[in-house]
Structure formats: C-alpha cells, structure tokens
Amino acid sequence: MNGNTLKWLRVVVAVTFFTGFLAVFIAGGRVLPAGAGHSLASTQFVPSLVAWAGGAALPAAFIVILAAAVLFGRVYCGAVCPLGLLQDAIARVAAFARRKKRVRRFTKPLTRLRQLFLWATVAAVCAGWGGLALSLADPYSHFGRISVVVFRPALTLLARLPAGALRALGADANIHAVAPWAGFGIVTATALVFVLLLVLAAFRDRLYCNSVCPVGTLLGFLSRWAAFRVTINPAACRRCGACSGRCKAHCIDLRNGVIDTSRCVACFNCLGHCDSDAIHYRFAWGRRTATGGPKPRGARPVPANRPAGDGAGSVSTIASTTGTTAVSSSASTAASTAVPTAGPASEAPVPASAPAPAPASGTLRRAFLRKAPMAAAAALATMRSSLALTEDDGVPAPARKRRGPAAPALPPGAESTEHFFSRCTACQLCVGVCPTGALQPGLRGGGGAAAGALKPRLDYATGACAYLCNRCGEVCPTGAIRPLPLPEKQVTRIGVARLELEFCVNRTTGARCARCVEGCPTGALSLATGADGIQTPVLQSLLCIGCGVCEHACPARPLRAATVVARARHNRAHRAVHSAGIAAAAPPDFRSTTTPREQQPHPVDQIKTAPPANGRAERAPVHPGPHAGIHPAPSSK
C-alpha cells in the first residue's frame, strides 16, 4: 500500500476517534447516545484490561491491541489513543504558531525512565493499589479528566459569553449547560497534567508517550518485533532528513540507518516524502542482516560510513544490500590481551588486570524477556484476585464492620466503595453524561481512602441523581458502575435521608416550604403538622433511595435541614404501594441480587414510631443527641 494512503487512512481513523471522544466527554449524552460512549471507551487498553480483570467476558479490545502491536506496531498509539491524538493536535497548533520551522532530529531513548514507570505501575498493582495506579497510568483516563475538568467548563463559559452580550442588548438568549467547575484540588491537579502535556507536546511531540506512559512502553516492547515495520534501505538512503524531519517520535536515526521501532507510533508521516524511495512499511520477519546470515547475538551492525570502533548502537537493525561487518567485542578483547607464554623471566609480560566485563546487552535482554512474562502474569493474577475480593461473598465479615470516615455518595450500580474504587480508572466519562451535574470529580473521592483519589462521587449541592436516568452505568467501560435496568435502579438505595428539623425554614422563618416533599420521587417524604401547628417533613426511610433531591432542593443555609447519609454498601429500598389513600412500604417486584446479610436494615432505617394522637404523627429521634435525625412513619389514619 502507498505510504500516503497509509498516512491518510491513519488520519481519518484518528480524527474519527478524537472527535467522538470529545463529543462524549464535553457534550455528554446530548450529542451521542450512552451506548456510543461505552463503545468508544471499550476500545481503550486499560479499561478493557480492568473489565477483564474484574470478571467480565474477555474483551476484544484488550486482545486486539496486543495482537496489533505484534503484527503492525503501535497503531493504537498513533490512531486510537485520545491522549496521543491530543498531543498531536497540540504539536500541530504549536508548529503553526511558531515563526521558524522546527527541525526534528533523532533523540536517544530514555529506556530506564520508561521502564521505571512501567515497573512501578506493575508493582503498585501487585501491592493491591491497582485502582489508584491505573488511574494515574492510563492515558485514556488522563484525557477524560482533562476534557471534563478543564475543557468542558471552559467551553461552557465561552458559550455563555455571546448569550450574556445578547441579553445586554435586550435579546432573550440563554445557554442551558450544566458544566460547573469542580473542586480546586482536582482542577489544579488536572491542570498541572495538562500543562505538562502542553509543554512536552509543543517541544518534543510524543515524548510523554515514549518516556512516561506505561501503556506506550508495554506496546513499544512488543512492537520491537512487529511483523510489519517502517524500515530504511541504507543503499538507497541519501540522508537528506526528509523522513526524520517529520517523525513525531524522534526515532529515525539516519546516522546509523535504523529506526527505533519501540518508539515508532505508526503515524506514517515519514512515508511518501523520500525522493530516493528508501523508506518503506513492509513485512520484516525473517529478514537477514547485511552479512547474509542471521544476526549474531551480542553483535551490532557497523554502517559503511562509520569506523568499526564506534560504540554507538541501534535499537532495530535494518536489512541492507551493502556490505557491513559485525565486530565482536569479545573477540577483539581476547586478541588485544593475548601474551606470549615463553621467554625470559625479565621479559615476561605482566597479565593485564581488568575489571570484570559488564553483562552484554544480549544477556540483559534475554533475562528481561524471561522475567517480564512472569511479572506481568503475577500482576494480572493479583489484579484479578484483588478485584474478585471486593464482591459481597469475598469480603470477610470483620472487614465490613470496620468503621471509618463517612463514605462518599456513589451512583447506583457502584455497589460499594470497595467495588467502585478498585475498578474505576477515574476517566470521568460518567461525569460527562450525567444530565444534572450531580456526578463530580473529586481529588480524594471521599471516605478517607487513597484508592478513591480522582474518582467521581455524587455532590448533592450541585445536583441530584435523576430518578429516570441510568446513563452512568451504561457508559462505564470497566464495570465500576454496573448497568442497571431502570426499574432496578429506582429502588437501589445509595443512601438514606436525614432530617434535622431545627434547621428547617418552616421553623426558623415561619415560611411554608415543601420543596423536599414535592421533589421526592419515591414518596418517602410527606408533610405532617406538629403539636406547635408547624408543618414539617417526615420521612419513611424504607422508601428512601438517597437520590439527594431533598438535599439539593432544601433552601436552608448554611446548614441544610435535609441531608443524605451515603451507604458504604448499597442495598434495596421498598416501593410505595398506594391503597385507599394510604401509602405503605412494599418490597420491589424483582429478585434482589444482594446477599441476605446486605438485606439487613441500615442503622438509619431503625424507625421508632408512636401511635398517632389527634390525627397528628408523633416523631421520635432515631439517634440520641441535640441534632438527632427525626424519622417518623406517616400517619395511617
């Protein structure tokens, strides 16, 4: 296939993926359906790997990306990874803004730095920190956080400026967009990562992909022996620099006539610009070195225009038709240290004392190849076993009884903080599709657990969980938020409301407010008149699902009268059955997926009621203390 054809095919695929991801993260479900967001996210390496490790069916993307790296090189990095495509866009804009054209040159690989990040990620996964490590290592998740935390609020602000100008001129214009800025911590952390990418991409193109990204390092390791690679024919090459000047990976070494295929991201920019037709993308398995035989172990080819004593080596050898020689360092060392064994004692040479030779690169490479599969298998086994332990039947009972900081409010389908934190890579795709803005990214995620860093949670001050929406579970690619049918989602209890009536505006100001009662979608809240003649809300907690409508709607400030106490492990609420004007609690009409242990009532659900008197419901506090929540049952009279 023609080099220009490959390049433009790659460009079309890259633009399609990049615009699709931007549309999903920035516009949410208003442009693309939730299924499209899930399909796009499932093409990414780390989400597909986490879904498999969590017990999902074997994802196609995880296998396809690895197989593609072995067959065609790092095509995932060049055409599918959204963070790599963002760096290409930044480099393009920087090149356009730069007055003087920048000349790209070959740079030496930062091999130790690459391996440090890769093995640090593997070690963190083996140590049980997979949720946090993969959140920091996944390039797709970095792109998602940048899009949701930085791009979306900025674009929303820009969209509102024309509307404000039109309203100032008397026109009726408004932009209805829910894209508030997140907390200061998560915005700062994400902005720092974006600035780092901005600087690296503007001056060194894909340096982040080839020096920091663990996914790029892993795929680069496999692409060293890719079946199809970009190769140079030294016999035809005139070293004009047309190819290296367009290489965004800085991996074309014209001096040695080789290409570092572990860093090549298969952009194909170098193809089609060579006047001497010396660079091609071709099948490379089984090719021989210039000596006509297989490449000897530990030997490096010496180009015709370089002395044999130059120690500069290459990463991948390019087959050529010109004569090149392979010099064995061990043979030359033996020849230089050879001494006669006979002669006068006075003339006998003293044997040269030299330090022990360093291990040959071939020996180190073979040792790495032997240990890498075992380390990778151990990491995957540890990840899969650690994720499996977060299931209801895998967590020991003492671990469930431990109490710590307040649990964060998680969306329906998250099941528990352990399940969610271990599977979520903090890509913020669920935040992008949330119609009310209730899902917000957080720096710590709540709960006081480091594993919850960068993970989203429900912020009822921003919005409430929509009763008729289950988009977050539909788009989650890792299984951190399981997709729930809408009837099941509507009875999934993620928390329980708590009423502190001393803060209710009906008592503090004498106003008549029923916002929480009117907004409650399950009928768990109702108004009752107390002995003092003031109407205040009452809660039937068996019906409460913790959606947060009451907390979001409560006008009391600075402390709200209605708040939601999140549950560390979700369970099922009851449905309201209306008969002859009497509301009663009934269990849901589908089989519960929770264990008998999880069907036990939450401490907040222990409702104390008293028989009605004079048609008015008496209220008794559930918890002792001056600010005890009051949860009476509605009157049945």
Side-chain angles (χ1 to χ4, degrees), residues 103-124:
V103 179
R104 294 185 176 96
R105 294 185 176 89
F106 172 79
T107 57
K108 293 183 179 180
L110 303 176
T111 305
R112 293 187 177 180
L113 182 63
R114 299 169 67 185
Q115 294 181 355
L116 174 63
F117 282 106
L118 174 62
W119 292 115
T121 303
V122 173

Side-chain angles (χ1 to χ4, degrees), residues 288-296 301 320 322-326:
R288 297 175 179 269
T289 59
T291 58
K295 181 181 177 181
S320 66
T322 61
T324 59
T325 59

Side-chain angles (χ1 to χ4, degrees), residues 17-32 37 40 86 140 143-159 175-180 194 427-435 471:
F17 274 96
F18 190 66
T19 54
F21 278 115
L22 282 179
V24 169
F25 281 110
I26 295 179
R30 293 181 292 273
V31 176
L32 296 177
L40 281 173
L86 175 63
Y140 158 76
F143 176 82
R145 288 192 291 271
I146 291 172
S147 299
V148 172
V149 178
V150 178
F151 290 168
R152 192 167 68 130
L155 292 177
T156 303
L157 180 62
L158 292 177
I175 299 294
H176 298 279
V178 181
F194 177 63
C427 71
Q428 315 299 341
L429 183 58
C430 56
V431 177
V433 300
C434 183
R471 293 180 184 176

Side-chain angles (χ1 to χ4, degrees), residues 358-593:
S361 59
T363 304
L364 294 177
R365 189 179 299 110
R366 288 192 297 273
F368 176 78
L369 290 176
R370 286 195 302 268
K371 296 178 181 179
M374 294 185 293
L380 290 177
T382 303
M383 182 192 301
R384 196 173 180 102
S385 61
S386 63
L387 294 184
L389 285 176
T390 61
E391 299 295 339
D392 292 343
D393 56 351
V395 179
R400 297 180 185 175
K401 294 180 180 179
R402 288 196 298 265
R403 293 184 178 272
L410 302 178
E415 296 187 358
S416 66
T417 54
E418 298 92 347
H419 174 275
F420 183 74
F421 287 166
S422 62
R423 286 167 169 79
C424 177
T425 62
C427 71
Q428 315 299 341
L429 183 58
C430 56
V431 177
V433 300
C434 183
T436 63
L439 271 173
Q440 289 292 312
L443 185 62
R444 293 190 304 161
L454 308 176
K455 310 297 173 64
R457 77 282 186 269
L458 289 169
D459 183 3
Y460 296 128
T462 305
C465 182
Y467 188 67
L468 299 177
C469 173
N470 58 352
R471 293 180 184 176
C472 55
E474 293 178 349
V475 301
C476 182
T478 65
I481 306 176
R482 298 191 184 278
L484 298 178
L486 199 57
E488 183 177 356
K489 181 260 181 185
Q490 291 173 347
V491 292
T492 298
R493 177 183 294 166
I494 62 178
V496 179
R498 177 178 61 191
L499 300 179
E500 297 177 295
L501 299 182
E502 60 268 32
F503 303 130
C504 181
V505 295
N506 289 0
R507 288 188 179 276
T508 58
T509 65
R512 174 178 171 79
C513 175
R515 292 185 182 181
C516 56
V517 176
E518 294 171 355
C520 181
T522 64
L525 286 172
S526 58
L527 286 176
T529 304
D532 53 3
I534 299 177
Q535 283 192 331
T536 53
V538 293
L539 174 70
Q540 187 174 353
S541 61
L542 290 177
L543 301 178
C544 181
I545 60 176
C547 64
V549 171
C550 54
E551 180 174 343
H552 179 66
C554 182
R557 298 295 185 275
L559 298 177
R560 300 175 189 259
T563 55
V564 174
V565 179
R567 291 182 57 89
R569 190 172 295 275
H570 298 175
N571 64 355
R572 299 293 183 266
H574 289 196
R575 286 187 181 275
V577 179
H578 297 273
S579 176
I582 300 175
D589 55 357
F590 62 89
R591 184 180 298 275
S592 175
T593 59

Side-chain angles (χ1 to χ4, degrees), residues 121-436:
T121 303
V122 173
V125 172
C126 293
W129 293 77
L132 177 60
L134 295 180
S135 300
L136 299 175
D138 182 21
Y140 158 76
S141 298
H142 278 300
F143 176 82
R145 288 192 291 271
I146 291 172
S147 299
V148 172
V149 178
V150 178
F151 290 168
R152 192 167 68 130
L155 292 177
T156 303
L157 180 62
L158 292 177
R160 289 174 177 172
L161 291 179
L166 292 175
R167 287 195 300 270
L169 296 176
D172 185 11
N174 192 16
I175 299 294
H176 298 279
V178 181
W181 291 98
F184 175 79
I186 185 65
V187 171
T188 303
T190 307
L192 289 176
V193 174
F194 177 63
V195 170
L196 174 64
L197 284 174
L198 190 69
V199 174
L200 292 180
F203 294 97
R204 292 291 298 276
D205 300 291
R206 288 295 192 100
L207 180 63
Y208 177 88
C209 300
N210 288 327
S211 301
V212 178
C213 178
V215 177
T217 302
L218 175 62
L219 298 181
F221 173 75
L222 297 176
S223 66
R224 293 168 67 98
W225 298 278
F228 289 87
R229 312 172 213 167
V230 179
T231 59
I232 297 176
N233 182 5
C237 179
R238 298 182 302 165
R239 295 174 176 80
C240 64
C243 57
S244 62
R246 292 173 172 82
C247 178
K248 64 179 68 175
H250 299 244
C251 63
I252 301 179
D253 186 3
L254 291 180
R255 183 182 179 188
N256 295 320
V258 296
I259 297 177
D260 185 353
T261 53
S262 70
R263 291 189 292 161
C264 176
V265 295
C267 65
F268 307 124
N269 289 346
C270 56
L271 304 179
H273 295 281
C274 183
D275 297 335
S276 57
D277 196 28
I279 187 167
H280 300 277
Y281 182 70
R282 60 177 62 174
F283 187 78
W285 280 355
R287 288 186 173 271
R288 297 175 179 269
T289 59
T291 58
K295 181 181 177 181
R297 293 184 178 180
R300 296 184 179 182
V302 179
N305 63 337
R306 288 186 57 193
D310 196 339
S314 61
V315 180
S316 66
T317 305
I318 307 303
S320 66
T321 58
T322 61
T324 59
T325 59
V327 179
S328 174
S329 60
S330 60
S332 61
T333 303
S336 62
T337 57
V339 295
T341 57
S346 59
E347 297 179 2
V350 180
S353 59
S361 59
T363 304
L364 294 177
R365 189 179 299 110
R366 288 192 297 273
F368 176 78
L369 290 176
R370 286 195 302 268
K371 296 178 181 179
M374 294 185 293
L380 290 177
T382 303
M383 182 192 301
R384 196 173 180 102
S385 61
S386 63
L387 294 184
L389 285 176
T390 61
E391 299 295 339
D392 292 343
D393 56 351
V395 179
R400 297 180 185 175
K401 294 180 180 179
R402 288 196 298 265
R403 293 184 178 272
L410 302 178
E415 296 187 358
S416 66
T417 54
E418 298 92 347
H419 174 275
F420 183 74
F421 287 166
S422 62
R423 286 167 169 79
C424 177
T425 62
C427 71
Q428 315 299 341
L429 183 58
C430 56
V431 177
V433 300
C434 183
T436 63

Side-chain angles (χ1 to χ4, degrees), residues 48-137:
S48 179
L49 174 62
V50 173
W52 170 80
L58 188 63
F62 174 56
I63 301 300
V64 169
I65 293 172
L66 292 177
V70 175
L71 295 176
F72 307 106
R74 293 171 58 180
V75 291
Y76 167 80
C77 301
V80 181
C81 177
L83 190 68
L85 303 179
L86 175 63
Q87 295 174 74
D88 292 343
I90 293 173
R92 177 77 63 172
V93 173
F96 179 79
R98 191 179 292 111
R99 295 182 180 180
K100 185 178 180 181
K101 184 178 180 180
R102 180 169 59 94
V103 179
R104 294 185 176 96
R105 294 185 176 89
F106 172 79
T107 57
K108 293 183 179 180
L110 303 176
T111 305
R112 293 187 177 180
L113 182 63
R114 299 169 67 185
Q115 294 181 355
L116 174 63
F117 282 106
L118 174 62
W119 292 115
T121 303
V122 173
V125 172
C126 293
W129 293 77
L132 177 60
L134 295 180
S135 300
L136 299 175

